[in-house]
Amino acid sequence: MFSFLKDLDDRLYERYRTLERNIKSASNSFYDAYLDLQEHFLRYVLEKEGIESSAGNSSGSILKNPACRKFFLSFVNLDPHTYEKMADYAQKVNAHKHKREKHVTLDTVLKYVAVIYDVTAAYASYKGIACTPFALSEYVEMFGVFEKENATLRAERDKLREELAVSVEEGKLKETDIETFRSLASRAALDKLSLEEQNAELQKQISTLKDIKLSSMEDKLNRTIEMLLSLQEAVVENRVASYAAGDAICGREMFKAYVEKAKGDLNDGK
């Protein structure tokens, strides 16, 4: 949705990507990422449009600049309410950074992102860049998605570990598979990573555990096939021995007659 930022400045788009990751993590770092994006955008516009600003580089100081205000309201045709909201949100974020008491909520995310979209999209349109319409529903689905995904992945990983743990302890797997199983990152190690990094690591572990499980199933299947082949060989050997014994005792022809009579008796009894 914000891909049009790449047509303005790659670094600006990367700022947005950081903001998006914080939305997916439902992290309070959303506020810092939001302010970084807004400040980067405003400084970019000042530089590109040749607007002088001696008051400072923070969002608040830039937005107080009469030349900046005139450019956005008169040339970009930005709604005055949206322009004022930029200053309002910058002030609230700064208060959060100092007091560390504000927790990110879905409602906050939706309001803040809508404003930064309106501002950046208006400028992009002014520069002749097409923008995808804003879709609030995307951010409703995006908020906290890493945490939900994390819970699902952990449950799948734990189930696979439990299924294989007994075989590992009893040494029923290949040595290489046992070593791989025991080398997987522990829960404590995972907890030190960000949610995004945890999910990537969990996906790797699930893939590895599935490979070990498949390898174990293949080994069991191979052993079963070997056992059946061995049994088949034993049956053949017993049959040969029986015929040989029969021939030796009563002669081949008489033995065949006994076999046929036995078959007939069996059929009559059905």
Side-chain angles (χ1 to χ4, degrees):
M1 192 185 302
F2 278 81
S3 58
F4 62 85
L5 293 178
K6 289 187 285 188
D7 295 323
L8 294 174
D9 178 43
D10 287 334
R11 291 175 300 168
L12 191 59
Y13 183 67
E14 286 305 312
R15 295 277 189 183
Y16 165 73
R17 292 286 293 162
T18 300
L19 179 72
E20 189 177 87
R21 285 193 290 272
N22 282 291
I23 294 172
K24 290 179 178 179
S25 299
S27 169
N28 289 340
S29 296
F30 164 83
Y31 294 104
D32 299 315
Y34 182 88
L35 194 58
D36 287 343
L37 173 60
Q38 182 169 284
E39 289 181 351
H40 187 109
F41 170 71
L42 290 173
R43 288 195 293 269
Y44 170 83
V45 172
L46 292 184
E47 180 182 350
K48 288 297 180 182
E49 303 302 327
I51 300 173
E52 293 186 6
S53 177
S54 58
N57 286 324
S58 68
S59 288
S61 59
I62 293 173
L63 291 168
K64 290 176 183 176
N65 185 343
C68 180
R69 182 183 178 86
K70 180 180 179 180
F71 172 75
F72 275 102
L73 300 188
S74 301
F75 293 91
V76 179
N77 292 320
L78 186 67
D79 179 79
H81 174 74
T82 303
Y83 188 87
E84 296 302 330
K85 273 298 176 185
M86 279 197 291
D88 178 41
Y89 290 164
Q91 185 176 9
K92 287 178 178 177
V93 171
N94 279 320
H96 156 69
K97 289 174 71 174
H98 291 298
K99 296 180 181 179
R100 294 292 177 185
E101 60 184 14
K102 199 172 184 65
H103 296 285
V104 68
T105 64
L106 175 59
D107 182 60
T108 299
V109 166
L110 297 180
K111 289 178 180 177
Y112 279 47
V113 174
V115 167
I116 197 66
Y117 173 86
D118 287 343
V119 175
T120 55
Y123 179 71
S125 297
Y126 168 75
K127 302 297 285 186
I129 298 170
C131 303
T132 305
F134 184 71
L136 208 64
S137 59
E138 286 191 21
Y139 291 91
V140 173
E141 295 175 3
M142 188 186 300
F143 185 71
V145 71
F146 281 162
E147 187 171 3
K148 298 170 189 174
E149 183 183 3
N150 188 268
T152 301
L153 290 172
R154 280 180 182 263
E156 184 177 1
R157 189 277 311 269
D158 291 346
K159 183 180 178 182
L160 286 166
R161 284 185 68 96
E162 289 173 7
E163 289 176 357
L164 292 168
V166 175
S167 296
V168 169
E169 292 305 316
E170 293 178 354
K172 292 182 178 179
L173 302 180
K174 296 176 184 176
E175 283 298 324
T176 53
D177 286 341
I178 292 175
E179 290 176 9
T180 300
F181 180 90
R182 290 175 173 163
S183 69
L184 296 177
S186 65
R187 182 181 295 272
L190 276 174
D191 289 341
K192 295 177 182 179
L193 305 175
S194 68
L195 278 175
E196 185 178 15
E197 292 170 331
Q198 284 184 36
N199 292 349
E201 175 61 26
L202 284 167
Q203 287 172 344
K204 290 180 183 177
Q205 289 194 18
I206 288 170
S207 178
T208 299
L209 290 167
K210 284 181 176 179
D211 287 342
I212 294 174
K213 185 176 180 180
L214 181 60
S215 176
S216 173
M217 291 172 66
E218 288 176 347
D219 282 347
K220 289 178 182 177
L221 180 59
N222 289 335
R223 286 198 295 270
T224 301
I225 291 172
E226 288 174 2
M227 184 178 68
L228 289 173
L229 289 173
S230 177
L231 181 60
Q232 185 180 37
E233 290 175 1
V235 169
V236 171
E237 289 174 0
N238 287 337
R239 184 176 297 170
V240 170
S242 297
Y243 281 125
D247 290 349
I249 294 171
C250 57
R252 182 179 296 273
E253 294 303 322
M254 186 173 289
F255 178 70
K256 284 184 180 179
Y258 285 142
V259 171
E260 291 302 322
K261 184 178 184 303
K263 287 181 179 179
D265 292 342
L266 284 174
N267 290 330
D268 292 338
K270 289 182 179 179

